[in-house]
Coordinates of all heavy atoms in Angstrom, one line a residue:
M1 N 58.1 112.1 110.2 CA 57.5 111.9 111.5 C 56.9 113.2 112.0 O 55.9 113.2 112.7 CB 58.5 111.4 112.5 CG 59.2 110.1 112.1 SD 58.3 108.6 112.4 CE 58.0 108.5 114.1
E2 N 57.5 114.3 111.7 CA 57.1 115.6 112.1 C 55.7 116.0 111.8 O 55.0 116.5 112.6 CB 58.1 116.7 111.5 CG 57.8 118.1 111.9 CD 58.2 118.5 113.3 OE1 59.2 117.8 113.8 OE2 57.7 119.4 113.9
H3 N 55.3 115.6 110.6 CA 53.9 116.0 110.2 C 53.0 114.8 110.1 O 51.8 115.0 109.7 CB 54.0 116.6 108.8 CG 54.8 117.9 108.8 ND1 54.3 119.1 109.4 CD2 56.0 118.2 108.3 CE1 55.2 120.0 109.3 NE2 56.2 119.6 108.6
G4 N 53.4 113.6 110.5 CA 52.5 112.5 110.5 C 52.2 111.9 109.1 O 51.1 111.3 109.0
F5 N 53.1 112.1 108.2 CA 52.8 111.6 106.8 C 52.8 110.1 106.9 O 53.5 109.5 107.6 CB 53.9 112.0 105.8 CG 53.9 113.5 105.6 CD1 55.1 114.2 105.5 CD2 52.7 114.3 105.4 CE1 55.2 115.5 105.2 CE2 52.8 115.6 105.2 CZ 54.0 116.3 105.1
P6 N 52.0 109.4 106.0 CA 52.1 108.0 106.0 C 53.4 107.5 105.4 O 54.1 108.2 104.8 CB 50.9 107.6 105.0 CG 50.6 108.8 104.2 CD 51.0 110.0 105.1
V7 N 53.7 106.2 105.6 CA 55.0 105.7 105.2 C 55.1 105.8 103.6 O 54.1 105.6 102.9 CB 55.1 104.2 105.5 CG1 56.3 103.5 104.9 CG2 55.1 104.0 107.0
G8 N 56.2 106.3 103.2 CA 56.5 106.5 101.8 C 56.2 107.9 101.3 O 56.5 108.3 100.2
K9 N 55.5 108.7 102.1 CA 55.3 110.1 101.8 C 56.2 111.0 102.6 O 56.5 110.7 103.8 CB 53.8 110.5 102.1 CG 52.8 109.7 101.5 CD 52.7 110.0 100.0 CE 51.6 109.2 99.3 NZ 51.7 109.2 97.9
T10 N 56.7 112.1 102.0 CA 57.7 112.9 102.7 C 57.6 114.3 102.2 O 57.2 114.6 101.1 CB 59.1 112.3 102.5 OG1 60.1 113.1 103.2 CG2 59.5 112.3 101.0
G11 N 58.1 115.2 103.1 CA 58.2 116.6 102.7 C 59.4 116.9 101.9 O 59.5 117.9 101.1
I12 N 60.5 116.1 102.2 CA 61.8 116.3 101.5 C 62.1 114.9 100.8 O 62.2 113.9 101.5 CB 62.9 116.7 102.4 CG1 62.6 118.1 103.1 CG2 64.2 116.8 101.7 CD1 62.6 119.3 102.1
Y13 N 62.3 114.9 99.5 CA 62.7 113.7 98.8 C 64.2 113.8 98.6 O 64.7 114.9 98.1 CB 62.0 113.6 97.5 CG 62.4 112.4 96.7 CD1 62.0 111.1 97.0 CD2 63.2 112.6 95.6 CE1 62.5 110.0 96.3 CE2 63.7 111.5 94.8 CZ 63.3 110.2 95.2 OH 63.7 109.2 94.5
V14 N 65.0 112.8 98.9 CA 66.4 112.8 98.6 C 66.7 112.0 97.4 O 66.5 110.8 97.4 CB 67.2 112.3 99.9 CG1 68.7 112.3 99.6 CG2 66.9 113.2 101.1
Q15 N 67.3 112.6 96.4 CA 67.6 111.9 95.1 C 69.1 111.7 95.1 O 69.9 112.6 95.3 CB 67.3 112.8 93.9 CG 67.7 112.2 92.6 CD 67.0 110.9 92.2 OE1 65.8 110.9 92.3 NE2 67.7 109.9 91.9
T16 N 69.5 110.4 95.0 CA 70.9 110.0 94.9 C 71.4 110.1 93.5 O 70.7 109.5 92.6 CB 71.2 108.6 95.5 OG1 70.7 108.7 96.9 CG2 72.6 108.3 95.5
I17 N 72.5 110.7 93.3 CA 73.2 110.8 91.9 C 74.5 110.0 92.0 O 75.4 110.4 92.7 CB 73.4 112.3 91.6 CG1 72.1 113.1 91.7 CG2 74.1 112.4 90.2 CD1 72.3 114.6 91.7
G18 N 74.5 109.0 91.2 CA 75.7 108.1 91.2 C 75.4 106.9 92.0 O 74.3 106.6 92.3
P19 N 76.4 106.1 92.4 CA 77.8 106.4 92.1 C 78.3 105.9 90.8 O 77.8 104.9 90.3 CB 78.5 105.6 93.2 CG 77.6 104.4 93.5 CD 76.2 105.0 93.2
W20 N 79.2 106.7 90.2 CA 79.9 106.2 89.0 C 81.2 106.9 88.9 O 81.4 108.0 89.5 CB 79.1 106.4 87.7 CG 78.7 107.9 87.4 CD1 79.5 108.9 87.0 CD2 77.4 108.4 87.6 NE1 78.7 110.0 86.8 CE2 77.4 109.8 87.2 CE3 76.2 107.9 87.9 CZ2 76.3 110.6 87.2 CZ3 75.1 108.7 88.0 CH2 75.2 110.1 87.6
E21 N 82.2 106.3 88.3 CA 83.5 106.8 88.2 C 83.6 107.8 87.0 O 83.2 107.5 85.9 CB 84.5 105.6 87.9 CG 86.0 106.1 88.1 CD 86.9 104.9 88.2 OE1 86.5 103.8 87.7 OE2 88.0 105.0 88.7
I22 N 84.1 109.0 87.3 CA 84.2 110.1 86.3 C 85.6 110.2 85.8 O 85.8 110.8 84.7 CB 83.6 111.4 86.9 CG1 84.3 111.8 88.1 CG2 82.1 111.3 87.1 CD1 84.0 113.2 88.6
A23 N 86.5 109.7 86.5 CA 87.9 109.7 86.2 C 88.6 108.7 87.1 O 88.0 108.3 88.1 CB 88.6 111.1 86.3
P24 N 89.8 108.2 86.8 CA 90.5 107.3 87.7 C 90.5 107.8 89.1 O 90.9 108.9 89.4 CB 91.9 107.2 87.1 CG 91.7 107.5 85.6 CD 90.6 108.6 85.6
D25 N 89.9 107.0 90.0 CA 89.9 107.4 91.4 C 89.1 108.6 91.7 O 89.2 109.2 92.8 CB 91.3 107.5 92.0 CG 92.0 106.2 92.0 OD1 91.4 105.1 92.2 OD2 93.3 106.2 91.8
Q26 N 88.2 109.1 90.8 CA 87.3 110.2 91.1 C 85.9 109.7 90.9 O 85.6 109.1 89.8 CB 87.5 111.4 90.2 CG 88.8 112.1 90.6 CD 88.9 113.4 89.8 OE1 88.4 113.5 88.7 NE2 89.7 114.3 90.3
W27 N 85.0 109.8 91.9 CA 83.7 109.3 91.8 C 82.6 110.4 91.9 O 82.8 111.4 92.7 CB 83.5 108.3 92.9 CG 84.2 107.0 92.6 CD1 85.5 106.8 92.9 CD2 83.7 105.9 91.9 NE1 85.9 105.5 92.4 CE2 84.8 105.0 91.8 CE3 82.5 105.5 91.4 CZ2 84.6 103.7 91.3 CZ3 82.3 104.3 90.9 CH2 83.4 103.4 90.8
Q28 N 81.5 110.2 91.2 CA 80.3 111.0 91.4 C 79.4 110.3 92.3 O 79.0 109.2 92.1 CB 79.6 111.2 90.0 CG 78.3 111.8 90.1 CD 78.3 113.3 90.3 OE1 79.1 114.0 89.7 NE2 77.5 113.8 91.3
L29 N 79.1 111.0 93.4 CA 78.1 110.5 94.4 C 77.6 111.7 95.2 O 78.4 112.2 96.0 CB 78.7 109.4 95.3 CG 77.7 108.9 96.4 CD1 76.5 108.3 95.8 CD2 78.4 107.9 97.3
D30 N 76.4 112.1 94.9 CA 75.8 113.2 95.6 C 74.4 112.9 95.9 O 73.8 112.0 95.3 CB 75.8 114.4 94.6 CG 77.2 115.0 94.5 OD1 77.8 115.4 95.5 OD2 77.7 115.1 93.3
N31 N 73.9 113.6 96.9 CA 72.5 113.5 97.3 C 71.9 114.9 97.2 O 72.5 115.8 97.7 CB 72.4 112.9 98.7 CG 72.8 111.5 98.8 OD1 72.2 110.6 98.2 ND2 73.9 111.2 99.5
L32 N 70.7 115.0 96.5 CA 70.1 116.2 96.3 C 68.7 116.2 97.0 O 67.9 115.4 96.7 CB 69.9 116.5 94.8 CG 69.2 117.8 94.5 CD1 70.1 119.0 94.9 CD2 69.0 117.9 93.0
A33 N 68.5 117.1 98.0 CA 67.3 117.2 98.7 C 66.3 118.0 98.0 O 66.6 119.2 97.6 CB 67.5 117.7 100.1
V34 N 65.1 117.5 97.7 CA 64.1 118.2 96.9 C 62.9 118.4 97.7 O 62.3 117.4 98.1 CB 63.8 117.5 95.6 CG1 62.8 118.2 94.8 CG2 65.1 117.2 94.8
P35 N 62.4 119.6 98.0 CA 61.1 119.8 98.7 C 60.0 119.3 97.8 O 59.9 119.6 96.7 CB 61.0 121.3 98.9 CG 62.4 121.8 98.7 CD 63.1 120.9 97.7
T36 N 59.1 118.5 98.4 CA 57.9 118.1 97.7 C 56.7 119.1 98.1 O 56.9 120.0 98.9 CB 57.5 116.7 98.2 OG1 57.0 116.7 99.5 CG2 58.6 115.7 98.0
K37 N 55.6 118.8 97.5 CA 54.4 119.7 97.8 C 53.9 119.5 99.2 O 53.2 120.4 99.7 CB 53.3 119.4 96.8 CG 53.6 119.9 95.4 CD 52.4 119.7 94.5 CE 52.7 120.3 93.1 NZ 51.6 120.2 92.2
Q38 N 54.3 118.4 99.9 CA 54.0 118.2 101.3 C 54.8 119.1 102.2 O 54.4 119.4 103.3 CB 54.2 116.8 101.7 CG 53.1 115.8 101.1 CD 53.4 115.4 99.7 OE1 54.5 115.5 99.2 NE2 52.3 115.1 99.0
C39 N 55.9 119.7 101.7 CA 56.8 120.5 102.6 C 56.1 121.9 102.8 O 55.8 122.5 101.8 CB 58.1 120.7 101.9 SG 59.2 121.8 102.8
D40 N 55.9 122.2 104.0 CA 55.3 123.5 104.3 C 56.4 124.5 104.9 O 56.1 125.6 105.4 CB 54.2 123.4 105.3 CG 54.6 122.9 106.7 OD1 55.8 122.7 106.9 OD2 53.7 122.8 107.5
G41 N 57.7 124.1 104.7 CA 58.7 125.0 105.2 C 58.8 125.0 106.7 O 59.5 125.9 107.3
C42 N 58.1 124.1 107.4 CA 58.0 124.1 108.9 C 57.7 125.5 109.5 O 58.4 125.9 110.4 CB 59.3 123.5 109.4 SG 59.5 121.8 109.2
R43 N 56.7 126.1 108.9 CA 56.4 127.5 109.4 C 56.1 127.5 110.9 O 56.5 128.4 111.6 CB 55.2 128.0 108.6 CG 55.5 128.3 107.2 CD 54.3 128.8 106.4 NE 54.7 129.1 105.0 CZ 54.5 128.2 104.0 NH1 54.0 127.0 104.3 NH2 54.9 128.5 102.8
D44 N 55.4 126.5 111.4 CA 55.1 126.4 112.8 C 56.4 126.3 113.7 O 56.6 127.0 114.7 CB 54.2 125.2 113.2 CG 52.8 125.4 112.6 OD1 52.4 126.5 112.3 OD2 52.1 124.4 112.6
R45 N 57.4 125.5 113.2 CA 58.6 125.4 113.9 C 59.4 126.7 113.9 O 60.0 127.1 114.9 CB 59.5 124.2 113.3 CG 58.9 122.8 113.6 CD 59.8 121.8 113.0 NE 61.2 121.8 113.6 CZ 61.6 121.1 114.6 NH1 60.7 120.3 115.2 NH2 62.8 121.2 115.1
L46 N 59.5 127.3 112.7 CA 60.2 128.6 112.6 C 59.6 129.7 113.4 O 60.3 130.5 114.0 CB 60.3 129.0 111.1 CG 61.1 128.1 110.2 CD1 61.0 128.6 108.7 CD2 62.6 128.1 110.6
A47 N 58.3 129.7 113.5 CA 57.6 130.7 114.3 C 57.9 130.5 115.8 O 57.9 131.5 116.6 CB 56.1 130.6 114.1
K48 N 58.3 129.3 116.2 CA 58.7 129.1 117.6 C 60.2 129.2 117.8 O 60.7 128.9 118.9 CB 58.3 127.6 118.0 CG 56.8 127.4 118.0 CD 56.5 126.0 118.3 CE 55.0 125.7 118.2 NZ 54.6 124.3 118.3
G49 N 60.9 129.7 116.8 CA 62.4 129.9 116.9 C 63.2 128.6 116.7 O 64.3 128.6 117.0
K50 N 62.5 127.5 116.2 CA 63.2 126.3 116.0 C 63.8 126.2 114.6 O 63.3 126.9 113.7 CB 62.3 125.1 116.3 CG 61.8 125.0 117.7 CD 60.9 123.8 117.8 CE 60.3 123.6 119.2 NZ 59.5 122.4 119.4
L51 N 64.7 125.2 114.4 CA 65.1 124.9 113.0 C 64.0 124.1 112.4 O 63.1 123.5 113.0 CB 66.3 124.0 113.1 CG 67.6 124.6 113.6 CD1 68.7 123.5 113.7 CD2 68.1 125.7 112.7
T52 N 64.0 124.1 111.0 CA 63.1 123.2 110.3 C 63.4 121.8 110.7 O 64.5 121.5 111.1 CB 63.2 123.4 108.8 OG1 64.5 123.1 108.4 CG2 62.9 124.8 108.4
A53 N 62.5 120.9 110.5 CA 62.7 119.5 110.8 C 63.9 118.9 110.0 O 64.7 118.2 110.5 CB 61.4 118.7 110.6
C54 N 63.9 119.3 108.7 CA 65.0 118.7 107.9 C 66.4 119.2 108.3 O 67.3 118.5 108.4 CB 64.8 118.9 106.4 SG 64.6 120.7 105.9
E55 N 66.5 120.5 108.7 CA 67.7 121.0 109.2 C 68.1 120.4 110.5 O 69.3 120.0 110.7 CB 67.6 122.5 109.5 CG 67.7 123.4 108.3 CD 67.6 124.9 108.6 OE1 66.5 125.3 109.0 OE2 68.7 125.5 108.6
H56 N 67.1 120.2 111.4 CA 67.4 119.6 112.7 C 67.9 118.2 112.6 O 68.8 117.8 113.3 CB 66.1 119.7 113.5 CG 66.2 119.1 114.9 ND1 66.9 119.7 115.9 CD2 65.8 117.9 115.3 CE1 66.9 118.9 117.0 NE2 66.2 117.8 116.6
H57 N 67.3 117.4 111.7 CA 67.7 116.0 111.6 C 68.8 115.7 110.6 O 69.2 114.5 110.5 CB 66.4 115.2 111.3 CG 65.4 115.2 112.4 ND1 65.6 114.6 113.6 CD2 64.2 115.9 112.5 CE1 64.6 114.8 114.4 NE2 63.8 115.6 113.8
C58 N 69.2 116.6 109.8 CA 70.2 116.4 108.7 C 71.6 116.1 109.4 O 72.2 117.0 110.0 CB 70.3 117.5 107.8 SG 71.5 117.3 106.5
Q59 N 72.0 114.9 109.3 CA 73.3 114.5 110.0 C 74.5 115.1 109.3 O 75.5 115.4 109.9 CB 73.4 113.0 110.0 CG 72.4 112.4 110.9 CD 72.5 110.9 111.0 OE1 73.4 110.3 110.4 NE2 71.6 110.3 111.7
A60 N 74.4 115.4 108.0 CA 75.5 116.0 107.2 C 75.5 117.6 107.4 O 76.4 118.2 107.0 CB 75.3 115.7 105.7
K61 N 74.5 118.1 108.0 CA 74.4 119.6 108.2 C 74.5 120.3 106.9 O 75.2 121.4 106.8 CB 75.4 120.1 109.2 CG 75.3 119.4 110.6 CD 73.9 119.7 111.2 CE 73.8 119.1 112.6 NZ 72.4 118.9 113.0
C62 N 73.9 119.8 105.9 CA 74.0 120.4 104.5 C 72.7 121.1 104.1 O 72.6 121.7 103.0 CB 74.4 119.4 103.5 SG 73.3 118.0 103.3
L63 N 71.6 121.1 104.9 CA 70.4 121.7 104.6 C 70.3 123.0 105.4 O 70.5 123.0 106.6 CB 69.2 120.8 104.9 CG 69.0 119.6 104.0 CD1 68.0 118.7 104.6 CD2 68.6 120.1 102.6
H64 N 69.9 124.1 104.8 CA 69.8 125.4 105.5 C 68.6 126.1 105.0 O 68.3 126.2 103.8 CB 71.1 126.2 105.2 CG 72.3 125.6 105.5 ND1 72.7 125.3 106.8 CD2 73.3 125.0 104.8 CE1 73.9 124.7 106.8 NE2 74.2 124.4 105.6
V65 N 67.9 126.7 105.9 CA 66.7 127.5 105.6 C 66.9 128.9 106.2 O 67.4 129.0 107.3 CB 65.4 126.9 106.2 CG1 64.2 127.8 106.0 CG2 65.2 125.5 105.6
G66 N 66.6 130.0 105.5 CA 66.8 131.3 106.0 C 66.5 132.4 105.0 O 66.1 132.1 103.9
P67 N 66.9 133.6 105.3 CA 66.7 134.7 104.4 C 67.5 134.5 103.1 O 68.6 134.0 103.2 CB 67.1 135.9 105.2 CG 67.1 135.5 106.6 CD 67.4 134.0 106.6
L68 N 67.0 134.9 102.0 CA 67.6 134.8 100.7 C 69.1 135.3 100.7 O 70.0 134.6 100.2 CB 66.8 135.4 99.6 CG 67.3 135.2 98.2 CD1 67.4 133.7 97.9 CD2 66.4 135.9 97.2
E69 N 69.3 136.4 101.3 CA 70.6 137.0 101.4 C 71.6 136.1 102.1 O 72.7 135.9 101.6 CB 70.6 138.4 102.0 CG 69.8 139.4 101.3 CD 68.3 139.3 101.5 OE1 67.8 138.7 102.5 OE2 67.6 139.9 100.7
E70 N 71.2 135.5 103.2 CA 72.0 134.6 103.9 C 72.3 133.3 103.1 O 73.5 132.9 103.1 CB 71.4 134.2 105.2 CG 72.1 133.2 106.1 CD 71.3 132.8 107.3 OE1 70.8 133.7 108.0 OE2 71.3 131.6 107.6
L71 N 71.3 132.8 102.5 CA 71.5 131.6 101.6 C 72.4 131.9 100.5 O 73.2 131.0 100.1 CB 70.2 131.1 101.2 CG 69.2 130.6 102.3 CD1 67.9 130.2 101.8 CD2 69.9 129.5 103.1
M72 N 72.3 133.1 99.9 CA 73.2 133.4 98.7 C 74.6 133.5 99.2 O 75.5 133.2 98.4 CB 72.7 134.8 98.1 CG 71.4 134.7 97.4 SD 71.4 133.6 96.0 CE 72.4 134.5 94.9
E73 N 74.9 134.0 100.4 CA 76.3 134.0 100.9 C 76.8 132.6 101.1 O 78.0 132.4 100.7 CB 76.3 134.7 102.3 CG 76.1 136.2 102.2 CD 76.1 136.9 103.6 OE1 76.5 136.3 104.5 OE2 75.6 138.0 103.6
R74 N 76.0 131.7 101.6 CA 76.4 130.3 101.7 C 76.7 129.7 100.3 O 77.6 129.0 100.1 CB 75.4 129.5 102.4 CG 75.2 129.7 103.8 CD 74.1 128.8 104.4 NE 73.9 129.0 105.8 CZ 74.4 128.3 106.7 NH1 75.2 127.3 106.5 NH2 74.1 128.6 108.0
L75 N 75.9 130.1 99.3 CA 76.0 129.6 98.0 C 77.3 130.1 97.4 O 78.0 129.4 96.6 CB 74.8 130.0 97.1 CG 74.7 129.4 95.7 CD1 74.5 127.9 95.8 CD2 73.5 130.0 95.0
A76 N 77.7 131.3 97.7 CA 79.0 131.9 97.2 C 80.2 131.1 97.8 O 81.2 130.9 97.1 CB 79.1 133.4 97.5
E77 N 80.0 130.7 99.0 CA 81.1 129.9 99.7 C 81.3 128.5 99.1 O 82.4 128.0 99.0 CB 80.9 129.8 101.2 CG 80.9 131.2 101.9 CD 80.4 131.1 103.3 OE1 80.1 129.9 103.8 OE2 80.2 132.1 103.9
R78 N 80.2 127.9 98.8 CA 80.2 126.5 98.2 C 79.3 126.5 97.1 O 78.1 126.2 97.2 CB 79.8 125.5 99.3 CG 80.8 125.5 100.5 CD 80.5 124.5 101.5 NE 80.5 123.1 100.8 CZ 79.9 122.1 101.3 NH1 79.3 122.1 102.5 NH2 80.0 120.9 100.7
P79 N 79.7 126.7 95.8 CA 78.8 126.9 94.7 C 78.1 125.7 94.2 O 77.0 125.8 93.6 CB 79.8 127.4 93.6 CG 81.1 127.1 94.0 CD 81.1 127.0 95.5
R80 N 78.5 124.4 94.5 CA 77.7 123.3 94.1 C 76.6 122.9 95.1 O 76.7 121.9 95.8 CB 78.7 122.1 93.9 CG 79.4 122.1 92.6 CD 80.2 120.9 92.3 NE 80.2 119.8 93.2 CZ 79.6 118.6 93.1 NH1 78.9 118.3 92.0 NH2 79.7 117.7 94.0
Q81 N 75.6 123.8 95.1 CA 74.5 123.6 96.0 C 73.2 123.9 95.3 O 73.2 124.6 94.3 CB 74.6 124.5 97.2 CG 75.8 124.2 98.1 CD 75.8 125.1 99.3 OE1 74.9 125.1 100.1 NE2 76.8 126.0 99.4
A82 N 72.1 123.5 95.8 CA 70.8 123.9 95.3 C 70.1 124.8 96.2 O 70.2 124.7 97.4 CB 69.9 122.6 95.1
L83 N 69.4 125.8 95.6 CA 68.7 126.8 96.4 C 67.3 126.8 96.0 O 67.0 126.9 94.8 CB 69.4 128.2 96.1 CG 68.8 129.4 96.8 CD1 69.1 129.3 98.3 CD2 69.5 130.7 96.3
Y84 N 66.4 126.6 96.9 CA 64.9 126.5 96.7 C 64.2 127.7 97.3 O 64.5 128.1 98.4 CB 64.3 125.2 97.2 CG 64.9 124.0 96.6 CD1 65.9 123.3 97.2 CD2 64.5 123.6 95.3 CE1 66.5 122.2 96.6 CE2 65.0 122.4 94.8 CZ 66.0 121.7 95.4 OH 66.5 120.6 94.8
H85 N 63.2 128.2 96.7 CA 62.3 129.2 97.3 C 60.9 128.5 97.4 O 60.3 128.1 96.4 CB 62.2 130.4 96.3 CG 61.3 131.4 96.9 ND1 60.1 131.7 96.3 CD2 61.4 132.3 97.9 CE1 59.5 132.7 97.0 NE2 60.3 133.0 98.0
L86 N 60.5 128.4 98.7 CA 59.2 127.8 98.9 C 58.1 128.8 99.0 O 58.3 129.8 99.6 CB 59.2 127.0 100.2 CG 60.3 125.9 100.3 CD1 60.2 125.2 101.7 CD2 60.1 124.8 99.3
T87 N 57.0 128.6 98.3 CA 55.9 129.6 98.3 C 54.7 129.0 99.0 O 54.6 127.8 99.1 CB 55.6 130.0 96.9 OG1 55.2 128.9 96.1 CG2 56.7 130.8 96.3

């Protein structure tokens, strides 16, 4: 909605992994957010001091945008994460 993309087009694609049982009573179920070529990193929002649209709307609060050093610290705290560099 932020950028007015048509239905079915998005700046962030969420890929679901699973669900499947990996051991008794242990399940694999993850969602991986992948920036598409439509993602511009919300440069306009960031310039206004706002969060990116995906950070703002992420109910799980698992998407973070920021300086590489800050993101690397978060990665050290929780290693099963994806880190993207948008150019």
Side-chain angles (χ1 to χ4, degrees):
M1 305 280 299
E2 180 78 21
H3 297 291
F5 295 139
V7 174
K9 303 290 182 189
T10 182
I12 300 290
Y13 175 76
V14 179
Q15 175 67 49
T16 300
I17 303 165
W20 57 76
E21 193 169 21
I22 56 175
D25 294 324
Q26 288 186 336
W27 289 83
Q28 169 74 47
L29 178 58
D30 288 301
N31 292 294
L32 181 63
V34 181
T36 68
K37 288 185 178 184
Q38 286 79 22
C39 176
D40 66 1
C42 286
R43 288 180 185 93
D44 291 344
R45 290 180 62 91
L46 291 175
K48 295 175 185 174
K50 296 181 179 182
L51 293 174
T52 62
C54 59
E55 282 181 287
H56 178 74
H57 293 288
C58 180
Q59 294 178 3
K61 301 297 181 206
C62 61
L63 290 169
H64 306 285
V65 175
L68 185 57
E69 294 79 19
E70 178 185 312
L71 297 174
M72 291 297 290
E73 288 176 17
R74 288 179 183 263
L75 192 60
E77 294 169 7
R78 296 185 61 198
R80 279 188 357 110
Q81 299 183 60
L83 183 63
Y84 298 98
H85 179 253
L86 301 177
T87 57

